[in-house]
Amino acid sequence: MSSQNTKGKIAVVTGANRGMGFEACRQLGKLGFRVVLTSRDARKAKEAASKLRDEGLDVVAHTHDVNDPQSAEDLASFVESEYGEVHVLVNNAAAIFDIEEDDSTSILATSKEALTRSFETNTIGAVLTAQALVPLMKKTGYGRIVNVSSGMGGITEMNGGYPGYRLSKAALNASTRVLSEELKNDNIKVNALCPGWVRTDMGGENARLSPQEGVDTTVYLSTLPDDGPTGTFFRKRAPILW
Ligand SMILES: NC(=O)c1ccc[n+]([C@@H]2O[C@H](COP(=O)([O-])OP(=O)(O)OC[C@H]3O[C@@H](n4cnc5c(N)ncnc54)[C@H](OP(=O)(O)O)[C@@H]3O)[C@@H](O)[C@H]2O)c1
């Protein structure tokens, strides 16, 4: 899709006060999107959005905690009253709750709390945000939902350790398939991606990719044409095995 077609379209990004969410807002803004930058912390959302506005981008802040269903409803009401439509949702917010103790983060040592919190944020949060915004996409007859997942949630390349993160990302991948099937006749594409190992608070300073490189596939999936893929897992703009 050319930047012509993205001009004025509305994009919502979760977990966007820092890291790849913030960078996705910047790159989408540069393509002409009107961006709703969300964070669970109102002050952080405002500061981050104001930084991007200083760069000349059309970015507004909104508070959204993906763990709170009411927050998703409030976000949808805000988007509807402000813009009347939404074209892109980037489900980017996530966290790692696996506690690094002496003997690593084994599935044999994890707690119910770590598993539950992982699913609440990394899986259910994305589903609830989509639930709130899909009605608006249906009204417009257009939608691109981008689930920022991880190779750590891929069954094919599954390894040991980080059970909460791995299981919750595998479930996010499954939700991508379910949602894409349910929306396949609505011109709403739902895809997941692995950004690679990226220099953010989560990825650490030794990671290979810059945040800008890390969001390349997110931006690509946010701007898919109407005949583009849905229900697919991507890395470096190419499909990979789930
Ligand atoms: N970095 C990597 O190497 C890597 C690799 C594979 C996949 N990923 C995925 O890429 C995405 C972005 O990661 P990142 O590296 O940019 O991580 P990050 O720097 O740790 O940023 C995570 C973001 O998610 C937000 N968040 C956490 N819980 C939230 C909640 N309940 N509600 C709303 N926002 C919440 C954080 O907000 P606060 O500031 O309030 O905590 C922060 O803005 C994630 O989905 C991650 O799993 C990252």
Side-chain angles (χ1 to χ4, degrees), residues 64-196:
H64 177 39
D65 182 339
V66 301
N67 288 335
D68 177 4
Q70 185 57 49
S71 174
E73 290 308 319
D74 293 347
L75 171 64
S77 302
F78 168 77
V79 170
E80 182 161 30
S81 65
E82 199 74 10
Y83 305 102
E85 56 185 357
V86 63
H87 303 91
V88 172
L89 166 63
V90 179
N91 277 318
N92 167 81
I96 296 179
F97 297 98
D98 303 298
I99 314 285
E100 293 197 49
E101 310 235 283
D102 312 342
D103 56 353
S104 91
T105 61
S106 165
I107 196 165
L108 296 171
T110 190
S111 64
K112 182 179 175 189
E113 194 202 354
L115 292 173
T116 305
R117 293 182 72 194
S118 305
F119 274 93
E120 275 175 356
T121 299
N122 301 347
T123 314
I124 299 168
V127 171
L128 293 179
T129 309
Q131 272 182 0
L133 292 179
V134 160
L136 276 173
M137 290 179 172
K138 281 189 174 176
K139 236 167 66 180
T140 317
Y142 182 99
R144 305 290 180 258
I145 298 175
V146 182
N147 288 333
V148 183
S149 183
S150 167
M152 288 175 76
I155 300 289
T156 313
E157 46 187 278
M158 192 59 76
N159 215 322
Y162 293 97
Y165 189 70
R166 288 186 186 282
L167 269 58
S168 61
K169 288 294 192 183
L172 176 67
N173 287 356
S175 81
T176 304
R177 295 284 299 185
V178 174
L179 195 55
S180 68
E181 277 299 313
E182 293 191 14
L183 296 173
K184 67 183 175 198
N185 298 320
D186 295 288
N187 190 26
I188 300 175
K189 316 275 179 207
V190 190
N191 292 291
L193 72 121
C194 168

Side-chain angles (χ1 to χ4, degrees), residues 176-234:
T176 304
R177 295 284 299 185
V178 174
L179 195 55
S180 68
E181 277 299 313
E182 293 191 14
L183 296 173
K184 67 183 175 198
N185 298 320
D186 295 288
N187 190 26
I188 300 175
K189 316 275 179 207
V190 190
N191 292 291
L193 72 121
C194 168
W197 187 25
V198 183
R199 285 189 297 279
T200 60
D201 292 344
M202 185 185 285
E205 59 190 24
N206 295 326
R208 281 189 302 109
L209 303 174
S210 68
Q212 187 175 345
E213 291 167 322
V215 303
D216 178 71
T217 301
T218 293
V219 173
Y220 165 71
L221 294 174
S222 299
T223 55
L224 285 175
D226 289 351
D227 60 355
T230 190
T232 303
F233 192 20
F234 283 87

